[in-house]
Amino acid sequence: MTAQRKIFGGKSRGARSWLAWLILLPLLAVLVIQLYFFLQIWWWVDHNPETTSFMRAQLSVLQEKNPKAVLQHKWVPYARISNNLKRAIIASEDANFSEHEGVDWDALQKAYEKNNKKRKVVSGGSTITQQLAKNLFLSGSRSYLRKGQELVITYMLETMMDKERIFEVYLNVVEFGSGIFGAEAAARHYYGVGAAQLGASQAAKLAVMLPNPRFFDRHRDSNYLARRTGVILARMGSAELP
């Protein structure tokens, strides 16, 4: 009996050890991933990202059709981007950008209620910082796990970067059309000018395109785009810049 107890006791301890490793290994993997995100954001505090997860994904799609395809993208400093575009994007995408700490919980609640009423996703409620977190590291898929990771990265960005730096990175990496990334490439693609020369109506139209840029790249004369551009033009004066 004693020998049997030792054998079964040994097996039990071995099983508990394997169970512990099965729990610990995924936790360690998650921690390593978070450390990677943290170090990458720390580097980007004063170094400019050369590419993002969204940019790589879009380039891959384009190169499936044309192996020689390249993205249109050129980094420009914050001061060389028109204040018209900055105000338009804040007015359109995140009116409380300068005030919240990364997540606008009121906007999320309103978006949730609006989506419930329409019985489909018509509003996201994501802030500029959340959008940047997604663009830099994540995919466009929708899941609670991805949303949770987005929130973690969002708070990392807000902790390590000031608002102006967050907005500068966002303006330089956000997608404005098929293979068009950043304010400079967008200004030249749509209007043939640099980002610094964008007028108010041009900037408002670009801001309105952001939720669905590839669609509006193909439908630049849509009635919705014209109506919404007028709305954003009226709101731009009250947009607070970081």
Side-chain angles (χ1 to χ4, degrees), residues 4 33-34 39 42 58 76 81 84 103 113 121 126 137 142-143 164 167 184 189 214 221 225:
Q4 286 182 331
I33 292 170
Q34 305 316 307
L39 292 174
W42 173 78
Q58 180 64 4
V76 289
I81 300 174
N84 288 319
V103 179
E113 292 171 357
V121 177
S126 292
F137 294 110
R142 293 171 184 249
S143 70
E164 184 174 306
F167 202 24
E184 183 72 12
H189 177 72
R214 293 173 218 164
D221 298 321
L225 197 56

Side-chain angles (χ1 to χ4, degrees), residues 1-52:
M1 290 292 292
T2 302
Q4 286 182 331
R5 280 199 296 271
K6 286 183 178 179
I7 292 171
F8 286 118
K11 287 182 178 180
S12 178
R13 285 193 296 274
R16 285 198 298 271
S17 177
W18 275 107
L19 182 60
W21 276 110
L22 286 174
I23 295 170
L24 284 173
L25 284 176
L27 288 175
L28 287 171
V30 170
L31 288 174
V32 168
I33 292 170
Q34 305 316 307
L35 179 61
Y36 165 76
F37 292 149
F38 179 88
L39 292 174
Q40 187 70 80
I41 293 168
W42 173 78
W43 176 255
W44 285 336
V45 169
D46 50 18
H47 294 78
N48 300 329
E50 294 182 2
T51 186
T52 69

Side-chain angles (χ1 to χ4, degrees), residues 26-147:
L27 288 175
L28 287 171
V30 170
L31 288 174
V32 168
I33 292 170
Q34 305 316 307
L35 179 61
Y36 165 76
F37 292 149
F38 179 88
L39 292 174
Q40 187 70 80
I41 293 168
W42 173 78
W43 176 255
W44 285 336
V45 169
D46 50 18
H47 294 78
N48 300 329
E50 294 182 2
T51 186
T52 69
S53 175
F54 264 39
M55 292 168 71
R56 291 188 293 272
Q58 180 64 4
L59 181 59
S60 178
V61 170
L62 293 174
Q63 288 182 339
E64 286 179 5
K65 298 178 181 178
N66 176 14
K68 295 183 179 179
V70 295
L71 301 180
Q72 296 181 50
H73 175 245
K74 182 181 179 181
W75 186 282
V76 289
Y78 189 76
R80 285 175 50 196
I81 300 174
S82 168
N83 282 347
N84 288 319
L85 184 61
K86 297 169 189 173
R87 293 185 187 281
I89 289 177
I90 287 175
S92 179
E93 295 291 296
D94 187 1
N96 298 319
F97 175 63
S98 295
E99 301 171 7
H100 62 63
E101 297 180 351
V103 179
D104 189 337
W105 296 105
D106 289 337
L108 280 178
Q109 178 64 27
K110 289 176 183 177
Y112 174 77
E113 292 171 357
K114 189 174 182 180
N115 294 337
N116 266 358
K117 187 176 181 180
K118 297 287 186 179
R119 295 177 180 250
K120 60 180 180 179
V121 177
V122 295
S123 179
S126 292
T127 65
I128 284 171
T129 314
Q130 286 176 271
Q131 292 177 45
L132 178 60
K134 179 175 65 176
N135 289 351
L136 286 172
F137 294 110
L138 306 174
S139 71
S141 64
R142 293 171 184 249
S143 70
Y144 288 115
L145 183 62
R146 192 206 65 87
K147 196 67 177 178

Side-chain angles (χ1 to χ4, degrees), residues 171-183:
L171 289 164
N172 275 285
V173 303
V174 68
E175 184 182 23
F176 279 99
S178 182
I180 315 298
F181 287 86

